[in-house]
Amino acid sequence: MEAQKHIAEQDFLKEDALDLSAYHQQPQPYGNAAIEEIRLAVPDDHAAIVAMGHSAGMGELTEFDNTLVAVDKKGSLAAMCHVSLDGEHPSINPIIIRERLRGHGIGAALIAEARRRFGDDIELLSRGYAIGFYKFVGCSHEE
């Protein structure tokens, strides 16, 4: 039974892991060059954060404390992540990158800033399909 569980987990990771091999070949600016700034969210950002949550299928996001936002060169929110300080370690959930900007290092830049502000022992909570992204930014998978 344990062997079947291990095989099922491997299949899950193979199916849901993102293929990030082509992301470095994108013609657009990459990482910090793709954004103007990463900062803590301010009240003027709340409506855009809520809209990002809805478009990502996460429903109504209501937590804005300790939320980092990446602002693109046009002044729009490109990405966001909420950092919870409630557990033993800080944890990120959710992280949302606008779909058209995925694969340009913005998520990695956002996580790097979260680590800088909240500590390297930060945990990233995933729905499963983002496991490939989390491995790409140096995280390990834990149950």
Side-chain angles (χ1 to χ4, degrees):
M1 190 67 155
E2 188 65 33
Q4 287 178 332
K5 180 181 176 194
H6 181 69
I7 291 169
E9 286 174 357
Q10 285 181 332
D11 290 342
F12 170 79
L13 292 175
K14 285 179 190 171
E15 283 179 22
D16 293 334
L18 299 175
D19 178 9
L20 300 170
S21 60
Y23 280 6
H24 292 289
Q25 300 168 3
Q26 301 291 339
Q28 296 179 354
Y30 189 82
N32 288 328
I35 53 178
E36 186 66 31
E37 68 175 331
I38 296 176
R39 59 172 169 74
L40 286 170
V42 297
D44 286 347
D45 298 325
H46 294 182
I49 292 169
V50 169
M52 289 177 81
H54 282 293
S55 69
M58 296 182 178
E60 186 88 12
L61 299 179
T62 58
E63 294 291 325
F64 304 108
D65 291 343
N66 302 317
T67 296
L68 293 172
V69 294
V71 181
D72 68 19
K73 302 289 185 182
K74 297 176 183 176
S76 300
L77 292 191
M80 62 77 61
C81 72
H82 174 74
V83 180
S84 172
L85 303 176
D86 293 338
E88 182 179 332
H89 300 284
S91 61
I92 293 178
N93 187 26
I95 181 169
I96 304 171
I97 293 82
R98 291 207 184 272
E99 192 168 344
R100 66 180 171 78
L101 298 172
R102 291 179 188 161
H104 300 285
I106 296 170
L110 197 59
I111 289 173
E113 181 63 14
R115 285 179 168 150
R116 187 186 74 74
R117 288 178 184 245
F118 299 101
D120 284 333
D121 62 343
I122 201 162
E123 297 177 340
L124 298 129
L125 307 178
S126 172
R127 293 180 175 184
Y129 62 83
I131 289 173
F133 167 71
Y134 290 139
K135 286 182 179 180
F136 180 73
V137 296
C139 297
S140 61
H141 178 74
E142 293 182 14
E143 294 284 329

